[in-house]
Amino acid sequence: MFRSSTFSINSLSAAKISGRFINVSPIFFQRATKQTPSFTKSITTSVMTEQKTEQKTLTHADENINPKTIELLNKQDKYTINTYNRPPIVLTKGKGCWVYDLADRKFLDFSAGIAVNALGHADAELASVIADQATKLIHLSNLYHNEYAGELAELLVNITKEGGGFEAARVFFSNSGTEANEGALKFARKWGKQVSKEGKEKYGVISYNNAFHGRTMGALSATPSPKYQAPFSPLVPGFVHSIYNDIEKIPEVVNENTCAVIVEPIQGEGGVWVATVDFLKALRKRCDEVNALLIFDEIQCGLGRTGKLWAHQHLPKSCHPDILTLAKPLANGFPIGAIITTEKVANIIKIGDHGTTFGGNPLACRAALSVVRRINTPELLSNVNSVGDYLVNEFKRLASKYPSLITNIRGKGLILGIQFTVDPTPLIGLARERGLLLITASNQTVRIIPPLILKKEEAQHGVKIIEEIVDIFDKQRSN
Ligand SMILES: Cc1ncc(COP(=O)(O)O)c(C=O)c1O
């Protein structure tokens, strides 16, 4: 049972230190309490009287919020357009798989900036590459050539082909995943115009339930979730949604009017759902029949996360795409995305068709060169496989220990989903207050996407915390 009081001792003393906090904090707290179950818990100082062990392991309690943190949270609350539901910590530095907050508390990071920090935080080699390039050229625009964009494109094309990936030929650099998809959709629309039969319209784009392709209007139109789409309708015309892994529906939805199908080989945000080989084979076959492009969005599942460079390298050639989009870990957190295409797609894109001010800048490309070379090594990829296997086995063990809570473990390498029978959101706060950063995905899933350099001992530490919080959650539910 919970016993509650209104403020924690620490947050109350912080309130006394900062006069401004007294005025502003009720609004901040009100918003936070509405949105964050775990924060509600911290400011009502919920105390588990019956479970002393739970208190003992609460090493990073939200209620230990310090005055500087409160000051920064209040500024954020007052001056930014808040579209995120964030916990009351301010992170200031990192090292490897760990991040530190303002109070110098250390958290093990199982979220990696949403599958971004493949090489972990504050990587010394990358920091020196970025620092060196920053003293030379950060940005030029695409009006001029730089030393690194061509080299990065060559590397991406070559390692894709050498590693058994699709017939990559050319690359366009963007600044984010959404922008990579947006560009890929534009390429597909142009493809549709070029190959459509006289008088026929060919602009349909097919995407799938639980997909996430981004938040700009084109990418959003391919992201069929009412929570993302409804406030911004009407969306771009011509987008049709179908059911992931449903082979029977393919001939009906993918037809002569279709210019492209966009699909994640492993869906990330939607709950870590893995496409079947038969589904992707059938999509490839149907795209060939109707002359539509197949776009694989590997923004979350690509670049080493599944234990191979690309998720589609686990698949036979008969599944492979015409376009691949990537971003997230490409420069380990420095913003950059890319569209890789086959020669036939690249050939239809002409000067002036697409553009970007920042995309392909020397700093991002040089950083990405260094990151991609380090991700695409047998050592790192084998680490993903071995630590991933360890985690899968441990999560399966938890599933058999808590069968009424955990029903399935999905994913590959270090993109894993733990399927819960109830909304697992409270687990995120319970984990954070024990020094572990976890995130959820849709469909009652906890998503495990740590840095790819995660060590076995770090994985063990994370599992220990996860087991403990699942146990607490299970007991809370039955009380
Ligand atoms: C599969 C996938 N596509 C696209 C995006 C959008 O990428 P970004 O947030 O870099 O714009 C994401 C982001 O989570 C993603 O997971």
Side-chain angles (χ1 to χ4, degrees):
M1 293 297 276
F2 290 102
R3 182 155 45 82
S4 300
S5 62
T6 310
F7 285 103
S8 72
I9 293 164
N10 285 325
S11 58
L12 200 57
S13 61
K16 282 182 193 148
I17 294 163
S18 157
R20 197 171 154 270
F21 166 58
I22 291 170
N23 295 329
V24 183
S25 65
I27 302 164
F28 172 73
F29 279 153
Q30 235 173 24
R31 289 189 194 167
T33 44
K34 254 194 240 150
Q35 296 172 346
T36 316
S38 60
F39 192 49
T40 310
K41 179 169 168 274
S42 79
I43 64 166
T44 55
T45 317
S46 302
V47 179
M48 297 288 283
T49 50
E50 289 169 11
Q51 287 151 13
K52 294 224 172 73
T53 47
E54 183 184 331
Q55 284 301 309
K56 244 194 279 164
T57 59
L58 208 144
T59 50
H60 296 59
D62 284 346
E63 67 186 52
N64 291 339
I65 190 167
N66 69 11
K68 180 72 183 159
T69 302
I70 290 166
E71 193 189 317
L72 290 174
L73 295 181
N74 281 331
K75 253 181 224 163
Q76 179 94 28
D77 188 55
K78 186 163 178 206
Y79 292 108
T80 62
I81 297 172
N82 192 14
T83 60
Y84 281 90
N85 187 3
R86 279 178 274 218
I89 55 173
V90 175
L91 299 171
T92 55
K93 63 182 182 196
K95 195 73 208 154
C97 298
W98 300 81
V99 288
Y100 296 76
D101 75 356
L102 258 177
D104 221 25
R105 296 182 306 180
K106 190 177 172 187
F107 296 81
L108 179 59
D109 186 4
F110 267 24
S111 62
I114 322 185
V116 167
N117 304 100
L119 302 178
H121 299 278
D123 177 80
E125 191 177 324
L126 180 61
S128 89
V129 166
I130 291 175
D132 183 63
Q133 187 58 33
T135 64
K136 293 178 176 153
L137 268 181
I138 293 176
H139 169 79
L140 278 172
S141 86
N142 284 300
L143 298 180
Y144 307 100
H145 293 292
N146 70 59
E147 290 172 271
Y148 298 106
E151 202 177 337
L152 176 61
E154 179 190 39
L155 177 72
L156 288 169
V157 165
N158 287 345
I159 59 178
T160 301
K161 290 200 291 200
E162 283 158 14
F166 83 116
E167 280 306 307
R170 288 171 187 270
V171 184
F172 182 94
F173 292 113
S174 66
N175 307 289
S176 69
T178 303
E179 273 183 61
N181 283 337
E182 202 68 34
L185 294 170
K186 281 181 69 184
F187 292 2
R189 282 278 166 94
K190 185 152 190 218
W191 174 263
K193 283 199 196 312
Q194 300 270 312
V195 304
S196 62
K197 306 215 171 80
E198 196 118 336
K200 291 262 190 249
E201 291 191 319
K202 192 173 180 64
Y203 61 81
V205 175
I206 314 305
S207 67
Y208 287 91
N209 66 315
N210 293 321
F212 185 87
H213 298 298
R215 312 265 198 161
T216 53
M217 291 311 272
L220 179 65
S221 302
T223 299
S225 158
K227 101 177 154 185
Y228 296 132
Q229 288 189 338
F232 307 106
S233 61
L235 298 165
V236 178
F239 283 71
V240 176
H241 310 132
S242 190
I243 309 293
Y244 199 63
N245 282 334
D246 186 331
I247 295 174
E248 277 176 21
K249 284 205 159 50
I250 291 176
E252 179 194 323
V253 290
V254 183
N255 56 41
E256 294 291 341
N257 304 119
T258 306
C259 67
V261 174
I262 182 165
V263 65
E264 295 156 84
I266 299 181
Q267 294 180 326
E269 303 292 316
V272 193
W273 302 96
V274 182
T276 64
V277 174
D278 286 345
F279 173 66
L280 294 175
K281 246 191 217 169
L283 270 185
R284 174 72 272 172
K285 185 164 173 283
R286 185 62 182 155
C287 282
D288 288 341
E289 280 164 10
V290 300
N291 209 3
L293 299 178
L294 181 59
I295 305 170
F296 279 2
D297 175 343
E298 292 210 25
I299 288 162
Q300 188 155 160
C301 64
L303 281 164
R305 191 145 288 279
T306 62
K308 290 196 185 235
L309 181 67
W310 304 119
H312 75 267
Q313 286 177 0
H314 295 278
L315 303 166
K317 289 262 175 209
S318 53
C319 299
H320 285 188
D322 304 292
I323 299 180
L324 185 75
T325 55
L326 56 144
K328 288 188 182 280
L330 184 51
N332 206 50
F334 194 88
I336 179 170
I339 310 165
I340 311 182
T341 75
T342 56
E343 198 67 56
K344 83 172 181 190
V345 178
N347 281 341
I348 60 147
I349 305 302
K350 303 293 177 217
I351 285 175
D353 275 349
H354 197 44
T356 158
T357 297
F358 294 126
N361 69 68
L363 180 52
C365 289
R366 186 169 165 199
L369 261 172
S370 167
V371 171
V372 173
R373 283 184 183 129
R374 288 174 62 197
I375 288 179
N376 193 39
T377 58
E379 297 74 34
L380 187 121
L381 297 174
S382 105
N383 187 62
V384 172
N385 285 314
S386 63
V387 178
D389 286 349
Y390 164 76
L391 286 173
V392 168
N393 286 334
E394 286 298 296
F395 296 148
K396 285 189 174 157
R397 180 177 64 75
L398 292 189
S400 41
K401 188 169 167 194
Y402 301 97
S404 66
L405 255 189
I406 300 175
T407 53
N408 195 9
I409 310 301
R410 293 186 293 268
K412 200 159 191 56
L414 287 175
I415 176 165
L416 300 173
I418 309 175
Q419 178 70 59
F420 282 81
T421 52
V422 293
D423 177 8
T425 305
L427 286 169
I428 305 310
L430 289 170
R432 186 182 63 255
E433 291 195 276
R434 284 155 186 81
L436 176 69
L437 301 185
L438 273 186
I439 58 173
T440 54
S442 300
N443 294 300
Q444 301 183 339
T445 309
V446 167
R447 189 170 21 152
I448 308 292
I449 40 172
L452 304 185
I453 56 163
L454 187 74
K455 295 192 191 90
K456 171 95 180 281
E457 310 82 75
E458 292 167 330
Q460 281 167 332
H461 182 71
V463 167
K464 188 168 156 272
I465 296 174
I466 292 171
E467 183 157 8
E468 189 179 302
I469 59 169
V470 168
D471 193 62
I472 294 167
F473 191 46
D474 191 44
K475 292 198 173 101
Q476 283 179 357
R477 278 196 327 136
S478 41
N479 274 343

